């Protein structure tokens, strides 16, 4: 089987490479809206499966596409990627001093039509942050491509994340322990 990564995320690319997997990157624009009745993990799984469906017709029989979507939930509010600096500051202001949940949904779809959809959850605890700290992070790191307007691997993760319950890699955008488990069932090995 050949692995296709349908993601532009440098973090997902690095994590798959660190697993010892060889893959090809294929990108397609996919609408990332979701039905309003979905909550938390349902949203992440829906978006991952929706993205994979866009590749169904282009996969060879020996290929498997990996799609993923990471969302940040504060209570039941989904915080996606911020549109601009003001929205990033607003999101981080809401997150600071509180715990929130990060969900990453993953879909593996084979060219033969086999589909596996799963997700992982990590609880993230942020300490209280000053407006100056939030503004510094947003202006310096420009987290506009990150759900919840932050990357745990960035400066803010070092100074604000006080505790995690669950997988750190899930917060980075890919629950690699679960991805590895499912890929090995399909015959992938480290090389």
């Amino acid at each position: 089987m050949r692995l296709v990564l349908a993601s532009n995320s440098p973090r997902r690319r690095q994590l798959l490479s660190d697993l010892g997997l060889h893959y090809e990157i294929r990108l397609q624009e996919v609408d990332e809206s979701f039905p309003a009745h979905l909550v938390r993990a349902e949203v992440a799984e829906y978006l991952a499966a929706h993205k994979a469906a866009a590749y169904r017709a282009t996969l060879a029989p020996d290929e498997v596409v990996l799609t993923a979507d990471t969302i940040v939930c504060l209570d039941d509010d989904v915080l996606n990627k911020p549109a601009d600096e003001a929205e990033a500051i607003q999101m981080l202001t809401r997150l600071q001093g509180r715990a929130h949940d990060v969900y990453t949904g993953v879909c593996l779809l084979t060219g033969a039509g086999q589909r596996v959809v799963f997700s992982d959850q990590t609880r993230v605890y942020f300490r209280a942050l000053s407006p100056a700290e939030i503004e510094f992070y947003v202006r310096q790191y420009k987290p506009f491509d990150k759900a919840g307007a932050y990357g745990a691997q960035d400066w803010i993760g070092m100074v604000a994340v006080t505790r995690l319950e669950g997988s750190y890699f899930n917060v980075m955008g890919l629950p690699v322990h679960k991805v590895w488990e499912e890929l090995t069932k399909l015959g992938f090995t480290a090389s």
Side-chain angles (χ1 to χ4, degrees):
M1 296 290 284
R2 294 180 296 147
L3 182 61
V4 175
L5 174 62
S7 175
N8 204 25
S9 166
R11 292 158 299 281
R12 289 189 183 120
R13 291 177 187 184
Q14 184 63 49
L15 291 171
L16 286 181
S17 294
D18 289 349
L19 279 177
L21 294 168
H22 297 285
Y23 57 90
E24 171 189 339
I25 295 170
R26 288 191 207 152
L27 302 175
Q28 288 188 36
E29 285 293 319
V30 178
D31 175 33
E32 293 191 24
S33 57
F34 54 89
H37 70 277
L38 297 178
V39 294
R40 299 178 165 259
E42 294 172 332
V43 173
E45 290 182 7
Y46 171 86
L47 289 171
H50 180 66
K51 289 176 183 180
Y55 292 83
R56 184 180 312 275
T58 64
L59 291 175
D62 66 339
E63 291 180 324
V64 59
V65 67
L66 184 156
T67 57
D69 198 87
T70 300
I71 62 167
V72 171
C73 291
L74 184 61
D75 302 319
D76 282 329
D77 290 341
V78 174
L79 305 180
N80 283 316
K81 298 170 186 169
D84 55 27
E85 189 174 288
E87 189 176 15
I89 289 170
Q90 177 208 25
M91 285 182 185
L92 291 171
T93 300
R94 290 183 65 198
L95 292 173
Q96 64 87 27
R98 299 193 55 196
H100 61 275
D101 295 298
V102 176
Y103 295 89
T104 299
V106 178
C107 182
L108 299 171
L109 177 67
T110 70
Q114 183 179 359
R115 187 181 89 146
V116 179
V117 181
F118 57 93
S119 62
D120 199 25
Q121 173 202 356
T122 304
R123 187 105 171 129
V124 181
Y125 294 83
F126 263 34
R127 72 165 176 83
L129 295 165
S130 70
E133 289 172 315
I134 292 170
E135 289 173 17
F136 165 79
Y137 174 71
V138 170
R139 290 193 176 113
Q140 186 72 28
Y141 290 87
K142 303 187 184 329
F144 310 121
D145 65 335
K146 295 172 176 64
Y150 79 93
Q153 68 281 359
D154 293 343
W155 178 86
I156 204 163
M158 291 184 268
V159 302
V161 175
T162 60
R163 186 174 73 188
L164 293 171
E165 293 172 2
S167 168
Y168 171 76
F169 299 110
N170 184 56
V171 181
M172 285 180 63
L174 199 63
V176 290
H177 62 291
K178 288 187 172 187
V179 169
W180 180 257
E181 181 180 338
E182 294 300 331
L183 285 175
T184 58
K185 289 177 186 177
L186 295 172
F188 285 88
T189 59
S191 53

